[in-house]
């Protein structure tokens, strides 16, 4: 009877310990080498195929018992279907999808239609009786709340187009310009006070169209009314915040900014307000000089000793030159010509500010001279 051969693992140590001829060991050496390099691969296979992470008490992998809450199976077919569905829905309703420019054009077209129907036609009537101030302000505020600042920009632009004010610098009916300007300015100040507008200077600038160095009539009127209504609030913090933020901005303004500067000097102190004005003309050369002149003039009027001491002690440079010229002009306009002449030599004679200060003194002298001649 044939016996089946017994299978056993070869152990070199046991064989070497037995009394075997060297020939047998030589025969077994290749077998040992073959087994030794295959064992690590077999062990790696067992680890990767059997180890599924932490096990539960019954030995099953834990991730088969509890599915992670954020774990989602990728479904490319589903995502493609959703994209196609969105695309078709946009095409069916004429929507622009993710294109903001197309959406903006649709909104602006709708806005223009509404402005034409609700405001412009009545605004262009022969007199301002088509609107009263409260009604127009309510309409402008409703449009602002629905469409945002863009509504005011479009409205002002449509009025310019209809009246030709941007080309001529004048509206055919100034009384209607005042009515619209006041309504827009009130809405802007109210929105700024409530935090709906973060950059008031930019909002003002977006309504202006500049011709050379001066904005058009309507944009200039809106800006002046904004400054005036800010002052009328009597809110010192609001006036200071608006003045500092606009001064730190980069919106080109016009001479009316001096009105807000004057109010800011009264509530925050003239020295501090002057420090907020940058001399790099970031808000425009005209607005910068008018703001400085308004602050120096206010300071001369309230405390001339403090103002003159501050200006005198400044280090030599452009800032001191501009302040000196403003102070000479303010003293001359107040009729204090002798004091103005005393400060005049401190201004560098080769600067344009010197010529401006001399002109201011001469302008102040002429009315005085004509008055004396009339008495004779």
């Amino acid at each position: 009877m044939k016996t089946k051969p017994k299978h056993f693992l070869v152990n070199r140590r046991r064989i070497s310990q037995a009394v075997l001829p060297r020939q047998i060991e030589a025969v077994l050496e290749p077998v040992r080498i073959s087994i030794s390099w295959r064992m690590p691969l077999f062990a790696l296979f067992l680890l990767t195929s059997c180890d599924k992470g932490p096990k539960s008490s019954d030995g099953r992998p834990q991730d088969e018992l509890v599915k992670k809450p954020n774990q989602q199976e990728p479904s490319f077919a589903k995502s493609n279907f959703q994209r196609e569905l969105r695309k078709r829905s946009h095409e069916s309703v004429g929507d622009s999808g993710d294109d903001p420019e197309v959406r903006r054009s649709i909104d602006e077209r709708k806005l223009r239609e509404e402005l034409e129907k609700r405001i412009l036609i009545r605004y262009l009537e022969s007199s301002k009786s088509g609107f009263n101030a409260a009604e127009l302000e309510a309409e402008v505020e409703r449009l602002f709340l629905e469409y945002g600042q863009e509504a005011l920009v479009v409205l002002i632009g449509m009025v310019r187009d209809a009246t030709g004010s941007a080309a001529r610098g004048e509206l055919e009916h100034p009384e209607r310009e005042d009515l619209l300007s006041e309504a827009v300015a009130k809405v802007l100040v109210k929105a700024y006070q409530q935090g709906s507008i973060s950059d008031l200077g930019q909002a003002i600038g977006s309504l202006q169209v500049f011709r050379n160095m001066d904005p058009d009539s309507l944009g200039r009127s809106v800006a002046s009314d904004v400054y005036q209504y800010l002052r009328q609030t009597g809110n010192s913090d609001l006036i200071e915040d608006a003045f500092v933020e606009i001064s730190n901005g980069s919106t080109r303004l016009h001479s009316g900014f001096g009105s807000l500067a004057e109010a800011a000097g009264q509530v925050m102190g003239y020295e501090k307000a002057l420090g907020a004005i940058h001399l790099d003309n970031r808000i425009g050369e005209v607005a910068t000089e008018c703001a400085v002149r308004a602050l120096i003039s206010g300071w001369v009027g309230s405390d001339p000793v403090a103002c003159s001491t501050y200006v005198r002690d400044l280090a030599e440079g452009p800032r001191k030159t501009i302040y000196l010229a403003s102070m000479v002009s303010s003293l001359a306009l107040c009729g204090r010509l002798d004091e103005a002449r005393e400060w005049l030599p401190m201004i560098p004679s080769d600067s344009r500010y010197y010529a401006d200060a001399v002109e201011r003194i001469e302008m102040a002298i002429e009315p005085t001279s004509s008055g004396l001649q009339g008495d004779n």
Side-chain angles (χ1 to χ4, degrees):
M1 181 178 177
K2 260 186 182 179
T3 59
K4 293 181 180 180
K6 293 182 180 180
H7 298 281
F8 59 91
L9 294 176
V10 178
N11 190 313
R12 184 182 178 188
R13 182 173 295 180
R14 289 182 181 178
I15 295 174
S16 63
Q17 289 176 353
V19 182
L20 293 174
R22 290 185 178 274
Q23 291 84 353
I24 296 177
E25 187 173 359
V27 172
L28 294 177
E29 182 65 16
V31 178
R32 180 190 67 78
I33 294 173
S34 176
I35 294 175
S36 65
W37 72 266
R38 283 181 171 85
M39 285 301 294
L41 294 178
F42 181 69
L44 180 62
F45 170 77
L46 290 177
L47 290 173
T48 55
S49 61
C50 299
D51 189 1
K52 297 293 185 180
K55 301 295 190 299
S56 63
S57 58
D58 58 357
R60 287 185 297 163
Q62 191 174 2
D63 58 356
E64 292 181 6
L65 298 176
V66 181
K67 190 172 183 179
K68 297 178 181 178
N70 296 328
Q71 190 176 11
Q72 296 180 353
E73 295 179 1
S75 176
F76 298 104
K78 182 178 179 181
S79 60
N80 288 333
F81 172 77
Q82 290 174 342
R83 279 197 296 269
E84 185 65 23
L85 184 63
R86 286 197 299 269
K87 179 181 176 182
R88 290 183 181 181
S89 64
H90 295 154
E91 291 173 351
S92 63
V93 299
D95 193 0
S96 60
D98 296 329
D99 190 347
E101 290 300 323
V102 178
R103 279 205 310 273
R104 182 183 179 280
S105 65
I106 293 173
D107 292 341
E108 185 172 327
R109 185 167 60 249
K110 178 183 175 184
L111 173 60
R112 284 181 175 274
E113 292 174 356
E114 187 169 356
L115 288 173
E116 179 79 26
K117 179 176 61 177
R118 298 183 64 92
I119 293 184
L120 191 61
I121 292 177
R122 295 169 65 187
Y123 180 84
L124 295 175
E125 292 177 355
S126 59
S127 68
K128 68 177 183 179
S129 59
F131 278 110
N132 60 51
E135 184 182 356
L136 181 57
E137 183 183 347
E139 284 288 343
V140 172
E141 184 174 9
R142 183 188 62 80
L143 289 165
F144 175 82
L145 293 175
E146 183 172 350
Y147 294 97
Q149 183 180 324
E150 181 68 18
L152 306 184
V153 177
V154 175
L155 172 60
I156 296 296
M158 290 178 70
V159 172
R160 286 196 189 100
D161 294 341
T163 60
S165 62
R168 295 195 308 272
E170 295 292 339
L171 289 173
E172 294 177 358
H173 302 281
E175 70 279 0
R176 290 199 302 247
E177 174 184 346
D178 294 341
L179 193 66
L180 179 61
S181 174
E182 290 171 4
V184 172
K186 285 181 179 179
V187 170
L188 284 176
V189 171
K190 184 177 180 180
Y192 179 71
Q193 192 169 9
Q194 295 174 346
S196 301
I197 292 179
S198 58
D199 191 339
L200 187 58
Q202 190 276 332
I204 295 171
S206 66
L207 302 176
Q208 299 182 136
V209 173
F210 276 83
R211 298 171 62 241
N212 297 324
M213 294 293 291
D214 202 35
D216 66 288
S217 167
L218 186 53
R220 185 171 63 248
S221 178
V222 172
S224 297
D225 285 339
V226 167
Y227 306 140
Q228 184 64 27
Y229 287 127
L230 280 170
R231 298 182 63 163
Q232 289 180 6
T233 63
N235 188 328
S236 299
D237 293 336
L238 186 69
I239 294 172
E240 179 176 350
D241 290 345
F243 172 73
V244 172
E245 289 175 12
I246 294 175
S247 299
N248 287 325
S250 57
T251 301
R252 186 178 166 193
L253 305 172
H254 72 296
S255 59
F257 184 58
S259 171
L260 182 60
E262 182 183 2
Q266 294 172 358
V267 300
M268 62 188 290
Y270 292 101
E271 182 177 348
K272 184 179 178 182
L274 282 168
I277 296 291
H278 300 275
L279 300 185
D280 55 4
N281 294 330
R282 63 182 62 188
I283 59 175
E285 184 178 3
V286 172
T288 299
E289 293 185 6
C290 286
V292 170
R293 192 177 300 122
L295 288 168
I296 293 293
S297 177
W299 202 359
V300 168
S302 62
D303 193 346
V305 176
C307 180
S308 59
T309 302
Y310 171 76
V311 174
R312 183 192 59 208
D313 293 343
L314 283 173
E316 298 297 329
R319 183 173 293 274
K320 184 172 184 176
T321 299
I322 295 174
Y323 288 5
L324 281 168
S326 297
M327 192 166 67
V328 169
S329 299
S330 299
L331 290 170
L333 291 174
C334 292
R336 298 158 65 174
L337 296 175
D338 291 339
E339 293 180 58
R341 293 191 185 97
E342 289 178 5
W343 288 95
L344 184 62
M346 297 184 65
I347 304 174
S349 58
D350 58 347
S351 71
R352 68 175 182 85
Y353 296 104
Y354 182 86
D356 291 343
V358 170
E359 184 179 357
R360 293 281 181 175
I361 293 175
E362 291 175 350
M363 290 172 59
I365 293 174
E366 287 178 2
T368 304
S369 302
S370 61
L372 290 175
Q373 291 174 0
D375 293 337
N376 294 331

